[in-house]
Amino acid sequence: MDTKELLKKVRKIEIKTRRLSDHIFGGEYHSTFKGRGMTFSEVRQYQFGDDVRSIDWNVTARYNEPYVKVFEEERELTMMLMVDVSGSELFGTTNQFKKEIITEISATLAFSALQNNDKAGVLLFSDTVELYIPPKKGKSHVLRIIRELLEFKPKSNRTDLAEALKFLSSVMKKKAIVFVLSDFITEDYEKTLKIAGNKHDVTGIRVYDAREEAIPNLGMVQMEDAETGTVRLVNTQSKTVRQAYSDYHRERQDYFSTTFSKSGCGTISCRVDESYVKKLLGYFKRRG
């Protein structure tokens, strides 16, 4: 992709997703993920009903009457986008690939953070951490994230979410709002997700295609595994084959839902041909 084409695509994504974040998600994002931490503000004289645990004993001793510490909610947040860039994201049987929907959702969330004057960062992963951009504020930073989402070429086509979650826990020392965007055709990440979920506010956004739920009867079809490159002939006339295909993807879906729920994390599932706007807005409203 040449520079002119890339800038055109970035601008197109910016116009679409910024409008969504400004008019729809800005307020919802703010109310849903408002600062969870508390920061010291001032001391004042003790009043009846104040929590005795908030008494500042040093100031109380100095003035010989009780004073309490006053805290206020921290307004600034840090958002981290963990984006799956493995081979299976380059799949789609309708108008868009899963990767394109994931990019739009990521951009919308990043602009929502920008509107709220929060930091945003991105972690692109396959079976390794492909790229890490630390959280920062500002429009130019958000546009850089979008450029990377559009043009980044991963070294690997495979997926290992556990490895990415380990990296997240090692670099993000303070609590963050974390969105994991993937098709979640992977497993064995329950331990690392639990650790991340205990520290951060984590939401998994599963983007999938209708043809991953069920394969039609098309006779003998040559299929390629997008992550391993393995090519094989598949007899889609066989009910057993079609059932096994559906069962495999249903198991990945159930694993995703159950694992995130047990780890205290939120989930959103969005099919490529569905409105991610409605999905995100509904999730924010439920949480808010």
Side-chain angles (χ1 to χ4, degrees), residues 58-78:
N58 290 330
V59 177
T60 295
R62 190 182 310 148
Y63 292 101
N64 206 28
E65 58 181 317
Y67 276 76
V68 294
K69 294 178 181 178
V70 178
F71 294 85
E72 63 181 20
E73 196 173 49
E74 287 181 333
R75 305 312 304 177
E76 183 181 290
L77 301 172
T78 296

Side-chain angles (χ1 to χ4, degrees), residues 71 75 82 97 109 121 123 140 151 165 188 248 287:
F71 294 85
R75 305 312 304 177
M82 294 182 63
F97 290 144
L109 292 170
L123 191 164
S140 61
E151 71 168 352
L165 289 167
D188 296 331
Y248 174 80
R287 285 201 42 164

Side-chain angles (χ1 to χ4, degrees), residues 46-226:
Y46 177 86
Q47 297 173 359
F48 179 76
D50 284 338
D51 190 336
V52 294
R53 292 174 296 182
S54 63
I55 292 176
D56 187 322
W57 293 107
N58 290 330
V59 177
T60 295
R62 190 182 310 148
Y63 292 101
N64 206 28
E65 58 181 317
Y67 276 76
V68 294
K69 294 178 181 178
V70 178
F71 294 85
E72 63 181 20
E73 196 173 49
E74 287 181 333
R75 305 312 304 177
E76 183 181 290
L77 301 172
T78 296
M79 176 196 288
M80 178 56 63
L81 299 168
M82 294 182 63
V83 180
D84 182 354
V85 292
S86 64
S88 62
E89 305 310 327
L90 291 171
F91 179 78
T93 57
T94 52
N95 294 328
Q96 289 181 293
F97 290 144
K98 289 183 282 185
K99 178 186 176 181
E100 293 172 310
I101 299 297
I102 285 174
T103 297
E104 287 190 18
I105 295 173
S106 298
T108 302
L109 292 170
F111 277 122
S112 295
L114 174 67
Q115 187 186 29
N116 203 42
N117 198 32
D118 295 334
K119 296 177 182 177
V122 70
L123 191 164
L124 306 183
F125 70 93
S126 55
D127 59 353
T128 186
V129 174
E130 297 272 358
L131 177 70
Y132 170 62
I133 301 178
K136 278 177 63 177
K137 292 182 181 181
K139 180 181 174 181
S140 61
H141 181 69
V142 170
L143 292 177
R144 182 196 170 192
I145 288 174
I146 295 171
R147 284 197 302 272
E148 293 292 353
L149 288 168
L150 283 170
E151 71 168 352
F152 188 82
K153 299 291 189 292
K155 296 186 180 82
S156 173
N157 287 324
R158 296 175 180 265
T159 311
D160 188 341
L161 177 54
E163 194 65 30
L165 289 167
K166 279 182 196 174
F167 182 87
L168 174 79
S169 296
S170 70
V171 296
M172 299 296 293
K173 301 303 180 185
K174 292 184 178 180
K175 184 170 184 175
I177 309 301
V178 179
F179 290 97
V180 187
L181 297 102
S182 172
D183 53 17
F184 292 93
I185 305 177
T186 183
E187 52 188 352
D188 296 331
Y189 54 82
E190 63 270 22
K191 290 181 182 178
T192 48
L193 180 62
K194 188 159 187 143
I195 293 169
N198 284 335
K199 185 176 181 181
H200 305 293
D201 189 335
V202 181
T203 300
I205 302 179
R206 175 176 165 261
V207 177
Y208 65 101
D209 189 90
R211 284 288 174 257
E212 291 171 333
E213 295 182 301
I215 189 171
N217 182 349
L218 300 172
M220 294 296 291
V221 177
Q222 183 171 284
M223 291 187 174
E224 179 180 353
D225 188 313

